[in-house]
Amino acid sequence: MTIIKNVSTQDLAQRNQLLQNCLRPEPLPYPIQSEYPIVLNPDCHDYSHCLYDEDRVIAHANLWPRYLVDDKGRTVAKIGLIGNVATNDEYRGRGIMSKLLTYLESKAILADMQALVLWSDLSKFYQKMGFESLSEEWHFHFKNKHASIRGLHEIKEGEDLSKDDLKRILDLRQSTPFTLKRNIEEFEELARIPNTLFLITRTKSGDIAGFCVIGKGYDMNGVIHEWGYDNIDELPDAINWLFKTFNFGEAILLAPVSISKSKAKFLKRFSSRQDKTGMCFGRILTNDEYVQRSLKNCFIWGLDSI
């Protein structure tokens, strides 16, 4: 018999082992919970929902409440991010995850969430569950060009960024019509995810003039998933620094489709290929047309995805 409930404190080790086995089977130098420091934090176990067979955790998914905001920071909608979806191998093919996702949808509705959002390659499964492609993003592909490098400062894993640095980075981040609200305290947590590199461009006086965020734990190696510059002409230097420092055959920059025509033209000029693709999957739970349009035109930055 299966029972759905929030993961208990004593069952956190079971949950983490299930996620490690299902999502990170290869040996890694860090536990999976360090890749998701907010939703898998032991103090935030209300975000974790498990299916149990008696006392055994057999399936898991996070439901993380977030707020969609416009470019003025005004709240548009409350939504739920679903992630870390995993089912024990012995229980696959029995409709276990469908049952858990149906449960999460009911929880979301009770919490006044207006949409569910997730990332997955299993498009057919989620389409059967009522999810559809939600919004679009640009993928700009870059090859090694070995250009000159100017004024870059690498922030390595484990090196702290100050609150002022993080605020400046958020202020520099490419503007989008709609995105997820992120406060400085959350940003501090997300910035410490293993294998996450902040590449900072500074002025002669030491002020931050641009930044890229590359990598995120096990995911997004060679992917620039957050960025912003006072002068976008300095972005190619950061990309070339990646090629000189790491053995990437290609780097990919993710960008909102709402970037200006001039910036899109600039990125196309330097990139070897450009793709416009679906950003994620969503299940909209409201009839509010403004919220629906906002969700279909939003851009979610890489550190916020789970």
Side-chain angles (χ1 to χ4, degrees):
M1 181 179 179
T2 54
I3 302 170
I4 302 174
K5 57 182 178 180
N6 291 103
V7 65
S8 62
T9 303
Q10 59 266 33
D11 290 337
L12 287 174
Q14 265 202 76
R15 178 203 67 181
N16 295 342
Q17 192 60 57
L18 173 69
L19 295 178
Q20 197 83 39
N21 292 344
C22 294
L23 305 180
R24 302 290 185 265
E26 302 86 354
L28 292 176
Y30 41 79
I32 190 169
Q33 57 267 33
S34 66
E35 297 186 55
Y36 303 95
I38 297 177
V39 294
L40 295 184
N41 187 313
D43 294 330
C44 300
H45 52 84
D46 285 351
Y47 298 149
S48 279
H49 302 271
C50 293
L51 262 170
Y52 286 77
D53 189 352
E54 295 183 352
D55 293 328
R56 185 183 184 191
V57 176
I58 61 172
H60 172 271
N62 283 121
L63 178 62
W64 189 20
R66 310 297 289 150
Y67 288 95
L68 187 73
V69 295
D70 63 16
D71 57 357
K72 301 291 191 300
R74 297 172 296 202
T75 299
V76 174
K78 183 181 182 183
I79 67 173
L81 302 190
I82 292 177
N84 292 305
V85 178
T87 303
N88 185 298
D89 287 344
E90 298 174 25
Y91 291 82
R92 289 184 179 174
R94 303 188 192 180
I96 295 292
M97 189 49 63
S98 295
K99 183 175 183 178
L100 182 52
L101 290 174
T102 299
Y103 170 77
L104 292 185
E105 182 176 333
S106 67
K107 293 278 287 187
I109 292 170
L110 286 173
D112 295 323
M113 295 180 189
Q114 294 171 289
L116 296 173
V117 174
L118 57 83
W119 291 260
S120 177
D121 295 327
L122 304 176
S123 56
K124 289 184 179 179
F125 171 76
Y126 285 106
Q127 285 167 356
K128 288 180 182 178
M129 293 294 299
F131 287 81
E132 60 183 354
S133 183
L134 184 73
S135 194
E136 289 184 311
E137 64 185 9
W138 278 111
H139 289 192
F140 292 96
H141 300 252
F142 295 87
K143 298 293 186 182
N144 195 344
K145 293 188 178 181
H146 293 296
S148 62
I149 308 298
R150 302 170 299 182
L152 294 177
H153 174 66
E154 175 188 359
I155 304 293
K156 297 181 180 178
E157 176 191 334
E159 184 177 347
D160 287 334
L161 289 159
S162 71
K163 282 185 167 60
D164 287 342
D165 287 338
L166 294 172
K167 184 179 184 306
R168 171 61 176 158
I169 286 170
L170 284 179
D171 289 341
L172 271 173
R173 201 169 61 176
Q174 170 65 39
S175 178
T176 62
F178 305 97
T179 192
L180 296 186
K181 183 178 181 179
R182 183 195 298 168
N183 61 42
I184 297 300
E185 289 71 29
E186 290 168 342
F187 201 1
E188 281 187 301
E189 292 291 327
L190 297 172
R192 297 191 185 103
I193 295 173
N195 199 32
T196 300
L197 175 69
F198 281 72
L199 191 56
I200 307 295
T201 300
R202 295 186 183 272
T203 64
K204 290 182 179 179
S205 61
D207 296 328
I208 296 177
F211 78 98
C212 290
V213 182
I214 305 100
K216 179 189 176 188
Y218 184 83
D219 297 324
M220 298 189 181
N221 286 317
V223 177
I224 299 169
H225 53 85
E226 303 208 8
W227 58 278
Y229 284 84
D230 278 335
N231 182 356
I232 198 172
D233 289 347
E234 296 173 335
L235 175 57
D237 277 343
I239 294 170
N240 284 306
W241 181 92
L242 290 176
F243 286 119
K244 288 193 173 185
T245 307
F246 300 102
N247 188 29
F248 294 142
E250 181 181 66
I252 301 173
L253 181 137
L254 309 184
V257 295
S258 60
I259 59 172
S260 66
K261 290 182 179 179
S262 60
K263 287 183 178 178
K265 183 178 180 180
F266 176 85
L267 291 169
K268 288 178 180 179
R269 179 157 55 94
F270 282 92
S271 59
S272 58
R273 191 174 94 242
Q274 312 87 37
D275 304 313
K276 191 182 287 186
T277 183
M279 182 188 66
C280 58
F281 290 97
R283 180 160 169 73
I284 298 176
L285 307 174
T286 178
N287 293 321
D288 188 311
E289 293 183 1
Y290 176 65
V291 172
Q292 291 176 354
R293 287 197 304 271
S294 302
L295 286 162
K296 291 178 180 179
N297 290 282
C298 72
F299 182 77
I300 298 176
W301 295 96
L303 288 176
D304 291 314
S305 62
I306 62 170

